[in-house]
Amino acid sequence: TDRKKLHTAPVGQAFRLRPFHVLVATGGGYAGYKKYEGYKLEQLEKKGIELPVKLASEWEVALYKSVPTRLLSRAWGRLNQVELPTWLRKPVYSLYIWTFGVNMKEAAVEDLHHYRNLSEFFRRKLKPQARPVCCVHSVISPSDGKILNFGQVKNCEVEQVKGVTYSLESFLGPRISTEDLRFAEAPPGNSFQQQLVTKEGNELYHCVIYLAPGDYHCFHSPTDWRVSHRRHFPGSLMSVNPGVARWIKELFCHNERVVLTGDWKHGFFSLTAVGATNVGSIRIYFDQDLHTNSPRYSKGSYNDFSFISNNNKEGIPMRKGEHLGEFNLGSTIVLIFEAPKDFKFHLKAGQKIHFGEALGSL
């Protein structure tokens, strides 16, 4: 006959599954499923239904961590920097605004054609009057976001959400040199928490603020303080939305983060910017040497940088409300600080807060 012969390769040669592909597909699918579960939990929370805490097992955390979120976040960062054609900017940004509920009336530049790429749009500035800084209370919110948890630190454990904790020492890392912080040396027998408290009668407090993708992505100084030291933890970039924070214990200790430590008028003060999926880039304005989500840093390590030198004995002074840094999408800010026992938070767990509003005072 005139029929042509069809030559076919063996199935094994035409389509060969590699273990890496299977791992990524399985891990990515499972992470997506858990994120959807987290969304359902948020909807139940809005209805006032409180569900029991169900923590992930070790294999579930390992599976999630197997997803190459660092690589994906770097790719997302490059994509965000691609300049969009003028005609495409309004449709793309309008979809984002509709999806995440962005209030563009607060933006310094409301014209969507002004933003050349997604990165510029994410890091948009606000009108000066959009976020008045509270002058009455001693500590203000450093960013827009949702209050996940707050209160006293107890037994060297901090709550990331209600009922789910992480180790204070694992989160901050080993105690920083007293020469950097200019604190008196604590007795060696004291716990890590007690070593951070420098004044008798003080307590250690914490506050966790989650920035959603639609929030204003810059963060500011929450009080008048001096930054003495920066510690950068390269790590995973798992989602930090409330559903995942309720599911993975010590989530903030697994993720990449930048810990700024120093002192304020009542003693120890720290602000930590925690990275998340698609938020590999954390920028601190006065720290040009900081490079987050970089391939040259390996997970499980940390690198320190001191702002105290022979020429600068005071560190970096920050005024309340002053610009401090920015995320490339949305993430989490954790404050851990020392204050007298009569310090009071003016917050409710789960409430929405804006930069400049009061967190607490004496």
Side-chain angles (χ1 to χ4, degrees), residues 56-122:
S57 62
E58 289 185 12
W59 72 265
E60 288 178 308
V61 175
L63 183 60
Y64 192 177
K65 291 175 74 174
S66 72
V67 180
T69 51
R70 288 169 63 84
L71 179 62
L72 292 172
S73 296
R74 284 196 289 271
W76 176 253
R78 291 191 181 97
L79 179 63
N80 286 350
Q81 293 171 6
V82 174
E83 185 168 344
L84 296 175
T86 306
W87 63 269
L88 189 58
R89 294 175 189 177
K90 189 170 183 179
V92 171
Y93 301 148
S94 295
L95 178 61
Y96 187 92
I97 290 167
W98 177 78
T99 304
F100 297 108
V102 178
N103 183 2
M104 283 303 293
K105 291 184 178 179
E106 298 177 335
V109 180
E110 296 184 41
D111 182 11
L112 297 180
H113 296 100
H114 169 80
Y115 303 99
R116 294 173 297 177
N117 51 47
L118 281 165
S119 184
E120 284 189 3
F121 179 72
F122 293 148

Coordinates of all heavy atoms in Angstrom, one line a residue, residues 56-122:
A56 N 0.8 20.9 61.2 CA 1.4 20.0 60.2 C 2.4 19.0 60.8 O 3.1 19.4 61.8 CB 2.1 20.9 59.1
S57 N 2.5 17.8 60.3 CA 3.4 16.9 60.7 C 4.8 17.2 60.1 O 4.9 18.0 59.2 CB 3.0 15.5 60.3 OG 2.9 15.4 58.9
E58 N 5.9 16.5 60.5 CA 7.2 16.8 60.0 C 7.3 16.5 58.5 O 7.9 17.2 57.8 CB 8.2 15.9 60.7 CG 8.5 16.4 62.2 CD 9.6 15.6 62.8 OE1 10.3 14.9 62.1 OE2 9.7 15.7 64.1
W59 N 6.6 15.4 58.0 CA 6.7 15.1 56.6 C 5.9 16.1 55.8 O 6.3 16.4 54.6 CB 6.2 13.7 56.3 CG 4.7 13.5 56.5 CD1 4.0 13.1 57.5 CD2 3.7 13.7 55.4 NE1 2.7 13.0 57.3 CE2 2.5 13.4 56.0 CE3 3.8 14.2 54.1 CZ2 1.3 13.5 55.3 CZ3 2.6 14.3 53.4 CH2 1.4 14.0 54.0
E60 N 4.9 16.7 56.3 CA 4.1 17.7 55.6 C 5.0 19.0 55.4 O 5.0 19.6 54.4 CB 2.8 18.0 56.3 CG 1.8 16.9 56.2 CD 0.5 17.3 56.9 OE1 0.6 17.6 58.2 OE2 -0.6 17.2 56.4
V61 N 5.7 19.4 56.5 CA 6.5 20.5 56.4 C 7.7 20.3 55.5 O 8.0 21.2 54.6 CB 7.1 20.9 57.8 CG1 8.1 22.0 57.7 CG2 6.0 21.2 58.8
A62 N 8.3 19.1 55.5 CA 9.4 18.7 54.6 C 8.9 18.8 53.2 O 9.6 19.3 52.3 CB 9.9 17.4 55.0
L63 N 7.7 18.3 52.9 CA 7.1 18.3 51.6 C 6.9 19.7 51.1 O 7.3 20.0 49.9 CB 5.8 17.5 51.5 CG 5.1 17.4 50.2 CD1 6.1 16.6 49.2 CD2 3.8 16.6 50.3
Y64 N 6.4 20.6 51.9 CA 6.2 22.0 51.5 C 7.5 22.6 51.3 O 7.7 23.4 50.3 CB 5.4 22.7 52.7 CG 4.9 24.1 52.3 CD1 4.1 24.8 53.2 CD2 5.1 24.6 51.1 CE1 3.6 26.0 52.9 CE2 4.6 25.9 50.8 CZ 3.9 26.6 51.7 OH 3.4 27.8 51.4
K65 N 8.5 22.4 52.1 CA 9.8 23.0 52.0 C 10.5 22.5 50.7 O 11.5 23.1 50.2 CB 10.7 22.8 53.2 CG 10.2 23.5 54.4 CD 11.0 23.2 55.7 CE 12.3 23.8 55.7 NZ 13.0 23.6 56.9
S66 N 10.1 21.4 50.2 CA 10.7 20.8 49.0 C 10.4 21.6 47.7 O 11.1 21.6 46.7 CB 10.4 19.4 48.7 OG 9.0 19.3 48.3
V67 N 9.3 22.4 47.8 CA 8.9 23.3 46.7 C 10.0 24.4 46.5 O 10.3 25.0 47.5 CB 7.5 23.9 46.9 CG1 7.2 24.8 45.7 CG2 6.5 22.8 47.1
P68 N 10.6 24.6 45.3 CA 11.6 25.6 45.2 C 11.1 27.0 45.2 O 11.2 27.7 44.2 CB 12.2 25.2 43.8 CG 11.1 24.6 43.0 CD 10.2 23.9 44.0
T69 N 10.6 27.4 46.4 CA 10.0 28.7 46.5 C 11.0 29.9 46.3 O 10.7 30.9 45.9 CB 9.3 28.9 47.9 OG1 10.2 28.5 48.9 CG2 8.0 28.0 47.9
R70 N 12.3 29.6 46.7 CA 13.3 30.7 46.6 C 13.6 30.9 45.1 O 13.6 32.1 44.6 CB 14.6 30.2 47.2 CG 14.5 30.2 48.8 CD 15.7 29.6 49.4 NE 17.0 30.2 49.1 CZ 17.5 31.3 49.8 NH1 16.8 31.8 50.8 NH2 18.6 31.8 49.4
L71 N 13.7 29.9 44.3 CA 13.9 30.0 42.9 C 12.7 30.6 42.2 O 12.8 31.5 41.4 CB 14.2 28.6 42.2 CG 14.4 28.6 40.7 CD1 15.7 29.4 40.4 CD2 14.6 27.1 40.3
L72 N 11.5 30.2 42.6 CA 10.3 30.7 42.0 C 10.1 32.2 42.4 O 9.6 33.0 41.5 CB 9.0 29.9 42.5 CG 8.9 28.5 42.0 CD1 7.8 27.8 42.7 CD2 8.7 28.5 40.5
S73 N 10.5 32.6 43.6 CA 10.4 34.0 44.0 C 11.4 34.9 43.2 O 11.0 36.0 42.9 CB 10.6 34.1 45.5 OG 9.6 33.4 46.2
R74 N 12.6 34.3 43.0 CA 13.5 35.1 42.2 C 13.0 35.3 40.7 O 13.1 36.4 40.2 CB 14.9 34.4 42.1 CG 15.7 34.5 43.4 CD 17.1 34.2 43.2 NE 17.4 32.8 43.0 CZ 17.6 31.9 44.0 NH1 17.6 32.3 45.2 NH2 17.8 30.6 43.7
A75 N 12.4 34.2 40.2 CA 11.8 34.4 38.9 C 10.6 35.4 38.9 O 10.5 36.2 37.9 CB 11.3 33.0 38.4
W76 N 9.8 35.3 39.9 CA 8.7 36.3 40.0 C 9.2 37.7 40.1 O 8.7 38.6 39.5 CB 7.9 35.9 41.3 CG 6.7 36.8 41.6 CD1 6.7 37.8 42.6 CD2 5.5 37.0 40.8 NE1 5.5 38.4 42.5 CE2 4.8 38.0 41.5 CE3 5.0 36.3 39.7 CZ2 3.5 38.4 41.0 CZ3 3.7 36.7 39.3 CH2 3.0 37.7 39.9
G77 N 10.3 37.9 40.9 CA 10.9 39.2 41.0 C 11.4 39.7 39.7 O 11.2 40.9 39.4
R78 N 12.0 38.9 38.9 CA 12.5 39.3 37.5 C 11.3 39.7 36.6 O 11.3 40.6 35.9 CB 13.3 38.3 36.9 CG 14.7 38.1 37.6 CD 15.6 37.2 36.8 NE 16.9 37.0 37.4 CZ 17.2 36.0 38.2 NH1 16.3 35.0 38.4 NH2 18.4 35.9 38.8
L79 N 10.2 38.8 36.7 CA 9.0 39.1 35.9 C 8.4 40.4 36.3 O 7.9 41.2 35.5 CB 8.0 38.0 36.2 CG 6.7 38.1 35.4 CD1 6.9 38.0 33.9 CD2 5.7 36.9 35.8
N80 N 8.4 40.7 37.6 CA 7.8 42.0 38.1 C 8.5 43.2 37.6 O 8.0 44.3 37.5 CB 7.8 42.0 39.6 CG 6.8 41.1 40.2 OD1 5.9 40.6 39.5 ND2 6.8 40.9 41.5
Q81 N 9.8 43.0 37.2 CA 10.6 44.2 36.7 C 10.5 44.4 35.2 O 11.1 45.3 34.7 CB 12.0 44.0 37.2 CG 12.2 44.1 38.7 CD 13.6 43.7 39.2 OE1 14.5 43.4 38.3 NE2 13.8 43.6 40.5
V82 N 9.8 43.5 34.5 CA 9.6 43.7 33.1 C 8.7 44.8 32.8 O 7.6 44.9 33.3 CB 9.1 42.4 32.5 CG1 8.7 42.6 31.0 CG2 10.0 41.2 32.6
E83 N 9.1 45.8 32.0 CA 8.3 47.0 31.7 C 7.1 46.6 30.8 O 7.3 45.9 29.8 CB 9.2 48.0 31.0 CG 8.4 49.3 30.8 CD 9.3 50.5 30.3 OE1 10.5 50.3 30.5 OE2 8.7 51.5 29.8
L84 N 5.9 47.0 31.3 CA 4.7 46.7 30.6 C 4.4 47.7 29.5 O 4.7 48.9 29.8 CB 3.5 46.6 31.5 CG 3.6 45.5 32.6 CD1 2.4 45.6 33.5 CD2 3.6 44.1 31.9
P85 N 3.9 47.3 28.4 CA 3.4 48.4 27.4 C 2.4 49.3 28.0 O 1.6 48.8 28.9 CB 2.8 47.5 26.3 CG 3.4 46.1 26.4 CD 3.6 46.0 27.9
T86 N 2.3 50.5 27.7 CA 1.4 51.5 28.3 C 0.0 51.0 28.2 O -0.8 51.1 29.1 CB 1.6 52.8 27.6 OG1 2.9 53.2 27.6 CG2 0.7 53.9 28.3
W87 N -0.4 50.4 27.0 CA -1.8 50.0 26.9 C -2.2 48.8 27.8 O -3.4 48.6 28.0 CB -2.0 49.6 25.4 CG -1.2 48.4 24.9 CD1 0.0 48.5 24.3 CD2 -1.6 47.0 25.0 NE1 0.5 47.2 24.1 CE2 -0.5 46.3 24.5 CE3 -2.7 46.4 25.5 CZ2 -0.5 44.9 24.4 CZ3 -2.7 45.0 25.4 CH2 -1.6 44.3 24.9
L88 N -1.2 48.1 28.3 CA -1.5 46.9 29.1 C -1.5 47.2 30.6 O -2.0 46.4 31.4 CB -0.4 45.8 28.8 CG -0.6 44.4 29.3 CD1 -1.9 43.8 28.9 CD2 0.5 43.5 29.0
R89 N -0.9 48.3 31.0 CA -0.8 48.6 32.4 C -2.1 48.7 33.1 O -2.3 48.1 34.2 CB 0.0 49.9 32.6 CG 1.5 49.8 32.1 CD 2.2 51.1 32.2 NE 3.5 51.0 31.5 CZ 4.4 52.0 31.3 NH1 4.0 53.2 31.8 NH2 5.5 51.8 30.7
K90 N -3.0 49.5 32.6 CA -4.3 49.6 33.3 C -5.1 48.3 33.4 O -5.6 48.0 34.5 CB -5.2 50.7 32.6 CG -6.4 51.1 33.4 CD -7.1 52.3 32.7 CE -8.3 52.7 33.6 NZ -9.0 53.9 33.1
P91 N -5.2 47.5 32.4 CA -5.9 46.2 32.6 C -5.3 45.3 33.6 O -5.9 44.7 34.5 CB -5.9 45.6 31.2 CG -5.7 46.7 30.3 CD -4.9 47.7 31.0
V92 N -3.9 45.2 33.6 CA -3.2 44.3 34.6 C -3.3 44.8 36.0 O -3.7 44.1 36.9 CB -1.7 44.2 34.2 CG1 -0.9 43.5 35.3 CG2 -1.5 43.5 32.9
Y93 N -3.1 46.1 36.2 CA -3.2 46.7 37.5 C -4.6 46.7 38.1 O -4.9 46.5 39.2 CB -2.6 48.1 37.6 CG -1.1 48.2 37.2 CD1 -0.6 49.3 36.5 CD2 -0.3 47.1 37.4 CE1 0.7 49.4 36.1 CE2 1.1 47.2 37.0 CZ 1.5 48.3 36.3 OH 2.8 48.4 35.9
S94 N -5.6 47.0 37.2 CA -7.0 47.0 37.6 C -7.4 45.6 38.1 O -8.2 45.5 39.0 CB -7.9 47.4 36.4 OG -7.6 48.7 36.0
L95 N -6.9 44.5 37.4 CA -7.2 43.2 37.9 C -6.7 42.9 39.3 O -7.3 42.4 40.1 CB -6.7 42.2 36.9 CG -6.9 40.7 37.2 CD1 -8.3 40.3 37.3 CD2 -6.2 39.8 36.2
Y96 N -5.4 43.4 39.5 CA -4.8 43.2 40.8 C -5.6 44.0 41.9 O -5.8 43.5 43.0 CB -3.4 43.7 40.7 CG -2.6 43.5 42.0 CD1 -1.8 42.3 42.1 CD2 -2.5 44.4 43.0 CE1 -1.1 42.1 43.3 CE2 -1.8 44.2 44.2 CZ -1.1 43.0 44.3 OH -0.4 42.8 45.4
I97 N -6.0 45.3 41.5 CA -6.7 46.1 42.5 C -8.0 45.5 42.8 O -8.4 45.4 44.0 CB -7.0 47.5 41.8 CG1 -5.6 48.3 41.7 CG2 -8.0 48.3 42.6 CD1 -5.7 49.5 40.8
W98 N -8.7 44.9 41.8 CA -10.0 44.2 42.1 C -9.8 43.0 42.9 O -10.6 42.7 43.8 CB -10.7 43.9 40.8 CG -12.0 43.2 40.9 CD1 -13.2 43.7 41.2 CD2 -12.2 41.7 40.8 NE1 -14.1 42.7 41.3 CE2 -13.5 41.5 41.0 CE3 -11.3 40.7 40.4 CZ2 -14.1 40.2 41.0 CZ3 -11.8 39.4 40.4 CH2 -13.2 39.2 40.6
T99 N -8.8 42.2 42.6 CA -8.5 40.9 43.3 C -8.2 41.1 44.8 O -8.7 40.4 45.7 CB -7.4 40.1 42.7 OG1 -7.7 39.9 41.3 CG2 -7.2 38.8 43.3
F100 N -7.4 42.1 45.1 CA -6.9 42.3 46.5 C -7.4 43.5 47.2 O -7.0 43.8 48.3 CB -5.3 42.3 46.5 CG -4.7 41.1 46.0 CD1 -4.1 41.0 44.8 CD2 -4.7 39.9 46.8 CE1 -3.5 39.8 44.3 CE2 -4.1 38.7 46.3 CZ -3.5 38.7 45.1
G101 N -8.3 44.2 46.6 CA -9.0 45.3 47.3 C -8.1 46.5 47.5 O -8.1 47.1 48.6
V102 N -7.2 46.9 46.6 CA -6.3 48.0 46.8 C -7.1 49.3 46.7 O -7.9 49.5 45.8 CB -5.2 48.0 45.7 CG1 -4.3 49.1 45.8 CG2 -4.4 46.7 45.8
N103 N -6.8 50.3 47.6 CA -7.4 51.6 47.6 C -6.4 52.6 46.9 O -5.5 53.1 47.6 CB -7.7 52.0 49.0 CG -8.4 53.4 49.1 OD1 -8.7 54.0 48.0 ND2 -8.6 53.9 50.2
M104 N -6.6 52.8 45.6 CA -5.7 53.7 44.9 C -5.9 55.1 45.2 O -5.0 56.0 44.8 CB -5.8 53.4 43.4 CG -5.2 52.1 42.9 SD -3.4 52.1 43.3 CE -2.8 53.4 42.2
K105 N -6.9 55.5 45.9 CA -7.2 56.9 46.2 C -6.1 57.4 47.2 O -5.9 58.6 47.4 CB -8.6 57.1 46.7 CG -9.6 57.0 45.7 CD -11.0 57.3 46.2 CE -12.1 57.2 45.1 NZ -13.4 57.4 45.6
E106 N -5.5 56.4 47.9 CA -4.5 56.8 48.9 C -3.1 56.9 48.3 O -2.2 57.4 48.9 CB -4.4 55.7 50.0 CG -5.7 55.5 50.8 CD -5.5 54.4 51.8 OE1 -4.7 53.4 51.6 OE2 -6.2 54.4 52.8
A107 N -2.9 56.4 47.1 CA -1.6 56.4 46.4 C -1.2 57.8 46.0 O -2.0 58.7 45.6 CB -1.7 55.5 45.2
A108 N 0.1 58.1 46.1 CA 0.6 59.4 45.8 C 0.4 59.7 44.3 O 0.2 60.8 43.9 CB 2.1 59.5 46.1
V109 N 0.5 58.6 43.5 CA 0.2 58.7 42.0 C -1.0 57.7 41.7 O -0.8 56.5 41.8 CB 1.4 58.4 41.2 CG1 1.1 58.5 39.7 CG2 2.6 59.3 41.5
E110 N -2.1 58.3 41.4 CA -3.3 57.4 41.2 C -3.3 56.9 39.7 O -4.0 55.9 39.4 CB -4.6 58.2 41.5 CG -4.8 58.5 42.9 CD -6.1 59.2 43.2 OE1 -7.1 58.7 42.7 OE2 -6.1 60.2 44.0
D111 N -2.7 57.6 38.8 CA -2.7 57.2 37.4 C -1.9 55.9 37.2 O -0.7 55.8 37.4 CB -2.0 58.3 36.5 CG -2.0 58.0 35.1 OD1 -2.8 57.0 34.7 OD2 -1.3 58.7 34.3
L112 N -2.6 54.8 36.8 CA -2.0 53.5 36.7 C -1.0 53.4 35.6 O -0.1 52.6 35.6 CB -3.1 52.5 36.4 CG -4.2 52.3 37.5 CD1 -5.2 51.2 37.1 CD2 -3.5 51.9 38.8
H113 N -1.1 54.3 34.6 CA -0.1 54.3 33.5 C 1.3 54.8 34.0 O 2.3 54.6 33.3 CB -0.6 55.2 32.3 CG -1.8 54.7 31.7 ND1 -3.1 55.3 32.0 CD2 -2.1 53.8 30.8 CE1 -4.0 54.6 31.2 NE2 -3.4 53.7 30.5
H114 N 1.3 55.4 35.1 CA 2.6 55.9 35.7 C 3.5 54.8 36.1 O 4.8 54.9 36.0 CB 2.3 56.8 36.9 CG 3.5 57.1 37.7 ND1 4.4 58.1 37.3 CD2 4.0 56.6 38.8 CE1 5.4 58.2 38.2 NE2 5.2 57.3 39.1
Y115 N 3.0 53.6 36.5 CA 3.8 52.5 37.0 C 4.3 51.6 35.8 O 3.5 51.0 35.2 CB 3.0 51.7 38.0 CG 2.5 52.6 39.2 CD1 1.2 53.0 39.2 CD2 3.3 52.9 40.2 CE1 0.7 53.8 40.2 CE2 2.9 53.7 41.2 CZ 1.6 54.2 41.2 OH 1.1 55.0 42.3
R116 N 5.6 51.6 35.6 CA 6.2 50.9 34.5 C 6.1 49.4 34.6 O 6.0 48.7 33.5 CB 7.6 51.4 34.2 CG 7.8 52.8 33.9 CD 9.2 53.2 33.8 NE 9.8 53.1 35.2 CZ 11.1 53.3 35.4 NH1 11.9 53.6 34.4 NH2 11.6 53.2 36.6
N117 N 6.1 48.9 35.8 CA 6.1 47.4 36.0 C 5.4 47.1 37.3 O 5.0 48.0 38.1 CB 7.5 46.8 35.9 CG 8.4 47.5 36.9 OD1 8.1 47.8 38.0 ND2 9.6 47.9 36.4
L118 N 5.2 45.8 37.5 CA 4.4 45.4 38.7 C 5.2 45.7 40.0 O 4.6 46.1 41.0 CB 4.2 43.9 38.6 CG 3.0 43.4 37.8 CD1 3.1 41.9 37.5 CD2 1.7 43.8 38.4
S119 N 6.5 45.7 39.9 CA 7.4 46.0 41.1 C 7.1 47.4 41.5 O 7.0 47.7 42.7 CB 8.8 45.8 40.7 OG 9.6 46.0 41.9
E120 N 7.1 48.4 40.6 CA 6.8 49.8 40.9 C 5.4 49.9 41.5 O 5.2 50.7 42.5 CB 7.0 50.7 39.7 CG 8.4 50.9 39.3 CD 8.5 52.0 38.2 OE1 7.5 52.6 37.8 OE2 9.6 52.3 37.8
F121 N 4.5 49.2 41.0 CA 3.1 49.3 41.5 C 3.0 48.7 42.9 O 2.4 49.3 43.8 CB 2.2 48.5 40.6 CG 0.7 48.5 41.0 CD1 0.0 49.7 40.9 CD2 0.1 47.4 41.5 CE1 -1.4 49.7 41.3 CE2 -1.2 47.4 42.0 CZ -1.9 48.5 41.9
F122 N 3.7 47.6 43.2 CA 3.7 47.0 44.5 C 4.3 48.0 45.5 O 3.8 48.1 46.7 CB 4.5 45.7 44.6 CG 3.9 44.6 43.8 CD1 4.8 43.7 43.2 CD2 2.6 44.4 43.6 CE1 4.2 42.6 42.4 CE2 2.0 43.4 42.9 CZ 2.9 42.5 42.3

